[in-house]
Amino acid sequence: NVFVELLVAPRPGETVEEGQPNPRQEARRVRAAVASGACEVCVGTHALLSPRQPWRNLGLAVVDEEQRFGVRQKERFKAACVDVDVLTLSATPIPRTLGAALAGLRDTSELPEAPPGRGTTASIVRRDAPGLPEDEAFITALLRKELSRGGQCFYVVPRIADIEDATERIEDALRSLDHPAVDDNTTVAVSVAHGRVPDAGKVVQAFSQGSNETRPVLLATSLVENGLDLPRCNTIVVQDAHMFGLASLHQLRGRVGRGSVPAVAVFLHPADSERTLAAGARLRAVADADASTGPELARRDLEIRGAGALLGTKQSGRASRAVGDEMYASLLVAELGRLRALDVKKSQQCECFLPLSRRLPTDEALKATRTASTPAETKKCVRQAIDCGVDAGAAKACAKVRLLELHAARLGIVDIALETKELNDLTTPHGLLSAPELDPKTWKLLRSEVPEGPRESFRFDEFAGRIECVRLGALSPAKQVDFLLEAVLHMVGFLDRVNQVAPALKPVAVLNETAANATAAEEEVFAR
């Protein structure tokens, strides 16, 4: 049997009913089960990305609705454990992910066809001005058609502030149809669900259990774009659709047509003068019958927004729009040259002489941990040592020191120690990381990957061939190792990302200063 747990972060100020489990205690119990390995499969939200969540032996991370996560959040799994397989799922991949896939930097597979038994969904993009007779008649006609065939409707607005006006609009339309739910205290003509509703889940559940006579319309924000499967609902109206992204529009369109009944998705927008060019491009894409599938719509999104930063954290956009095509071409060539010149000579081994390493126990059970050759082997040896009765705190400290040595060796660091001081010198010693083969340009690239706060503590002495960590001695022995390990992991992660795109970094021909050549350079990296 596989032991599965659900981890949900407790809400601030959440009250616990009598007889119900305490959310905070339940979250702590699940975290402990994950850390000990008792939980084999853990399903959760962003709470799983917390730095406080340790993993015993993470092997596979499945990220559903990938477009809702940032780059650093997805990289958190890789930082938690080495050799983690990551599978991302998305109906409409974000431009950065799709760009990497099209460039051959990430493996990808597509499911272009809908599941069997699904009906077709027609998309209508229409200009709308609430209050105009023809527009109100259009909404009334939509409701009449859906309700006449026994269905229910979704009505989605982008902001909570729009809920009140939208409620009046829907009630007026239902009243003109003489719907029995209007002005009836025993029914709810318009069910409302959004982030400020105390329990929106119960509202949606009551709507799904109702009928088109008691609960005909669900009015909501984008809260409903995921997780709803209501085959009886086959009409959705999205008001102010120009304020949604393409991924959200596709997700909302996917809320209807879950059964065999033909569905319709209506996207309303104001006059052309009130929307941006990008918003107009998104609406044209969602109205195009050739872009009805998620993969094709994601490609349109890539064309509209750009592929983002290949090695950075920006998931969309084009630098050429900010600096011009000619400047972008020269910057791109220069950056590719820097990445090709990135040459980190790995040292044979790195020895740690920090105070914590001298205080580690000399148990025979920890010998394998101290001599492990890979991070994965280190973690395996730690688990075996703990199972043999070694103190967990001492075993984990030994593992951190060994991981610091292994990762630092990849950066060309040969030893790590505190600065030696004279007896009468009371200043705080610096940390010294000897790296005689480290190139200054390479160091500049590596240092830029460290978060801004810790980054200021590091400086490189080219002539001495060492990295200095300012005032490292002010920290406790355990925190000295933690501080250096975190920084080294960021640098090693950058090397891994560069190695991922290494096949795409073959020499680029010298570009002329023209917009056409700038586009060719960009396509070489992002769209090849």
Side-chain angles (χ1 to χ4, degrees):
N1 296 328
V2 179
F3 191 48
V4 182
E5 289 281 11
L6 176 64
L7 177 61
V8 180
R11 298 178 180 177
E14 185 176 5
T15 58
V16 182
E17 298 180 4
E18 187 176 354
Q20 296 293 324
N22 187 296
R24 295 188 180 278
Q25 294 178 356
E26 184 67 11
R28 284 195 291 267
R29 183 191 66 79
V30 174
R31 289 188 187 278
V34 172
S36 65
C39 173
E40 297 172 276
V41 178
C42 185
V43 180
T45 59
H46 289 68
L48 290 174
L49 301 173
S50 171
R52 298 174 298 171
Q53 177 60 63
W55 300 85
R56 180 175 176 84
N57 186 22
L58 181 62
L60 173 65
V62 180
V63 183
D64 195 13
E65 301 297 344
E66 177 252 3
Q67 72 274 8
R68 292 182 170 270
F69 293 82
V71 174
R72 295 194 185 279
Q73 291 175 321
K74 286 176 283 190
E75 292 294 326
R76 166 64 187 154
F77 285 111
K78 296 182 180 180
C81 285
V82 181
D83 298 329
V84 176
D85 295 321
V86 179
L87 173 64
T88 59
L89 308 175
S90 176
T92 51
I94 53 178
R96 182 180 184 271
T97 301
L98 183 61
L102 294 176
L105 306 179
R106 293 187 61 172
D107 296 330
T108 181
S109 60
E110 292 184 4
L111 299 174
E113 297 181 359
R118 292 284 179 89
T120 59
T121 301
S123 299
I124 300 174
V125 176
R126 176 186 170 91
R127 187 178 302 174
D128 177 64
L132 288 181
E134 57 269 26
D135 292 329
E136 299 305 322
F138 177 75
I139 296 297
T140 303
L142 281 176
L143 295 178
R144 178 188 294 111
K145 181 178 180 180
E146 185 59 43
L147 297 176
S148 65
R149 60 181 182 178
Q152 295 169 286
C153 301
F154 291 118
Y155 195 101
V156 179
V157 294
R159 297 167 299 201
I160 295 177
D162 300 326
I163 292 288
E164 185 177 348
D165 292 339
T167 301
E168 294 181 3
R169 186 180 195 186
I170 298 170
E171 288 179 346
D172 290 343
L174 292 174
R175 192 173 288 110
S176 66
L177 296 174
D178 295 326
H179 195 279
V182 182
D183 302 326
D184 187 345
N185 294 332
T186 63
T187 59
V188 181
V190 181
S191 303
V192 178
H194 54 78
R196 295 180 187 173
V197 172
D199 200 337
K202 290 184 178 180
V203 174
V204 175
Q205 183 179 9
F207 173 77
S208 64
Q209 294 173 350
S211 67
N212 67 337
E213 293 184 355
T214 58
R215 295 178 182 271
V217 180
L218 174 62
L219 172 61
T221 57
S222 57
L223 181 77
V224 299
E225 72 178 58
N226 297 113
L228 289 185
D229 187 8
L230 306 178
R232 192 166 59 245
C233 298
N234 290 294
T235 295
I236 184 170
V237 178
V238 181
Q239 182 177 302
D240 292 330
H242 65 292
M243 299 180 69
F244 292 87
L246 260 182
S248 294
L249 293 176
H250 184 66
Q251 292 284 355
L252 290 170
R253 181 168 57 183
R255 294 313 94 204
V256 295
R258 314 288 289 188
S260 58
V261 179
V264 59
V266 180
F267 303 99
L268 305 178
H269 65 88
D272 296 345
S273 60
E274 298 181 31
R275 69 180 195 221
T276 63
L277 293 176
R282 292 195 299 269
L283 293 175
R284 286 191 295 273
V286 79
D288 191 347
D290 295 332
S292 58
T293 64
E296 181 58 36
L297 205 61
R299 292 186 181 93
R300 298 290 182 89
D301 197 20
L302 175 62
E303 295 172 3
I304 295 170
R305 295 199 289 163
L310 188 64
L311 298 178
T313 58
K314 193 174 181 181
Q315 305 202 87
S316 65
R318 290 189 182 91
S320 59
R321 291 179 177 176
V323 299
D325 289 330
E326 296 179 4
M327 177 62 74
Y328 178 65
S330 61
L331 292 174
L332 180 61
V333 171
E335 188 63 23
L336 290 176
R338 285 207 305 161
L339 293 179
R340 293 191 200 99
L342 183 64
D343 183 18
V344 179
K345 298 178 181 178
K346 180 179 179 181
S347 60
Q348 293 294 327
Q349 65 176 6
C350 175
E351 295 186 68
C352 180
F353 299 104
L354 294 175
L356 181 63
S357 61
R358 296 195 297 268
R359 300 179 186 180
L360 295 176
T362 57
D363 297 12
E364 187 66 24
L366 289 175
K367 182 178 180 181
T369 304
R370 292 193 297 269
T371 58
S373 58
T374 64
E377 182 183 346
T378 302
K379 293 171 183 179
K380 181 180 178 181
C381 293
V382 168
R383 291 194 296 272
Q384 293 174 349
I386 294 176
D387 294 339
C388 292
V390 177
D391 178 69
K396 291 178 181 178
C398 183
K400 287 182 179 180
V401 171
R402 186 54 184 161
L403 288 174
L404 176 60
E405 292 176 337
L406 292 173
H407 290 303
R410 290 188 57 190
L411 302 175
I413 299 172
V414 296
D415 61 64
I416 303 172
L418 280 182
E419 184 181 19
T420 304
K421 294 285 186 178
E422 300 292 339
L423 291 177
N424 60 350
D425 190 347
L426 301 181
T427 58
T428 304
H430 302 327
L432 302 179
L433 294 77
S434 299
E437 300 295 327
L438 185 60
D439 180 72
K441 293 182 179 179
T442 298
W443 163 248
K444 186 177 180 180
L445 284 173
L446 294 175
R447 181 178 179 271
S448 65
E449 291 301 309
V450 180
E452 186 175 357
R455 183 194 310 158
E456 301 304 320
S457 300
F458 291 94
R459 60 193 184 193
F460 182 60
D461 188 339
E462 179 182 355
F463 300 102
R466 69 188 183 192
I467 303 168
E468 296 181 357
C469 183
V470 179
R471 293 176 57 81
L472 181 66
L475 301 176
S476 65
K479 290 192 175 182
Q480 291 173 8
V481 173
D482 290 340
F483 183 83
L484 291 178
L485 180 59
E486 181 182 0
V488 167
L489 283 174
H490 282 288
M491 299 181 195
V492 170
F494 173 68
L495 289 182
D496 291 337
R497 294 198 299 275
V498 171
N499 290 335
Q500 268 189 332
V501 302
L505 297 180
K506 66 180 184 179
V508 185
V510 177
L511 302 179
N512 295 325
E513 295 182 351
T514 64
N517 286 339
T519 303
E522 184 174 359
E523 289 178 352
E524 177 189 3
V525 180
F526 297 116
R528 181 167 48 85

